[in-house]
Amino acid sequence: MDLNEIKNSLNSNPNLTDIQDCLMELINLFNSKFPNVDLTNLNERLKTLKIIKGSKYLVKNSSHYNPITNELLINLSKIDISDCKHILMRELLNIITAKDNYTGFNKDNAFEALNIGYTERLTNYLVGNEAESEYEDEIVASNIFERIIGEDKMFNAYFTNNASLIFEN
């Protein structure tokens, strides 16, 4: 996927005018670290992505991406104590791996905590985290699980939405 196509998709979405540059910077960073990951899904979803700002009653943690509605929900009450770059990168990972009604390898919510932990670990690798993590337990579990099944299998399961790679191992 050509990054110029992604930039055009991003620029075509009137819902993202305030953060287009930030998103593109993070997409470029992701692509430089993981150039072999297919960004076709991201490209399509950026065209219609909506960001909805709300309270803790809308979303419990700092943010949540809904792959069904293609909406990124932001908890404004947590934004001041959060690392916004970290939040945005985490949700970009969720958009990149979104399929049907799930993200990553979390099909049928079979691996929700593991998926969250792995997403957090990738986010920390890409941009770090200036705030306290919301998902410490999930990160620890993800580390342990990855040591059991292997780094390559975990990476492939996540970016190909293939939970069976986890079941098989």
Side-chain angles (χ1 to χ4, degrees):
M1 172 64 45
D2 180 9
L3 289 179
N4 285 324
E5 288 180 56
I6 292 174
K7 186 171 185 167
N8 289 337
S9 295
L10 188 59
N11 290 338
S12 72
N13 186 335
N15 301 313
L16 305 177
T17 55
D18 294 344
I19 63 164
Q20 288 171 343
D21 292 339
C22 295
L23 284 170
M24 200 61 216
E25 178 184 333
L26 294 175
I27 293 165
N28 282 322
L29 174 63
F30 174 86
N31 190 64
S32 72
K33 298 287 185 180
F34 303 116
N36 295 326
V37 173
D38 183 14
L39 297 178
T40 304
N41 188 52
L42 172 67
N43 187 52
E44 288 307 309
R45 288 178 178 267
L46 283 175
K47 294 174 184 177
T48 59
L49 178 68
K50 291 181 184 160
I51 297 177
I52 298 173
K53 302 168 193 160
S55 69
K56 63 183 176 184
Y57 303 109
L58 179 65
V59 60
K60 180 178 126 186
N61 293 316
S62 59
S63 62
H64 175 75
Y65 174 68
N66 184 333
I68 298 169
T69 61
N70 197 30
E71 295 174 335
L72 173 55
L73 309 170
I74 303 288
N75 181 341
L76 291 177
S77 65
K78 292 198 174 190
I79 207 77
D80 290 336
I81 58 170
S82 300
D83 180 345
C84 293
K85 189 175 191 177
H86 180 89
I87 291 169
L88 204 50
M89 180 56 86
R90 179 179 65 222
E91 299 309 340
L92 269 174
L93 287 168
N94 283 322
I95 296 167
I96 289 166
T97 64
K99 181 176 182 179
D100 302 327
N101 64 344
Y102 67 100
T103 62
F105 44 66
N106 190 33
K107 188 173 185 178
D108 300 325
N109 288 327
F111 295 111
E112 183 176 9
L114 187 61
N115 196 70
I116 289 169
Y118 193 69
T119 303
E120 272 296 295
R121 288 182 48 228
L122 288 174
T123 304
N124 287 337
Y125 168 72
L126 291 164
V127 296
N129 191 357
E130 297 292 323
E132 187 175 319
S133 177
E134 298 174 90
Y135 304 106
E136 286 298 323
D137 293 338
E138 290 88 346
I139 292 170
V140 170
S142 168
N143 276 327
I144 293 168
F145 208 87
E146 183 180 79
R147 288 183 187 249
I148 294 168
I149 71 164
E151 186 177 335
D152 289 345
K153 288 177 183 153
M154 192 88 143
F155 185 88
N156 288 335
Y158 184 77
F159 283 107
T160 62
N161 306 98
N162 189 351
S164 67
L165 290 174
I166 294 172
F167 286 121
E168 291 167 4
N169 291 287

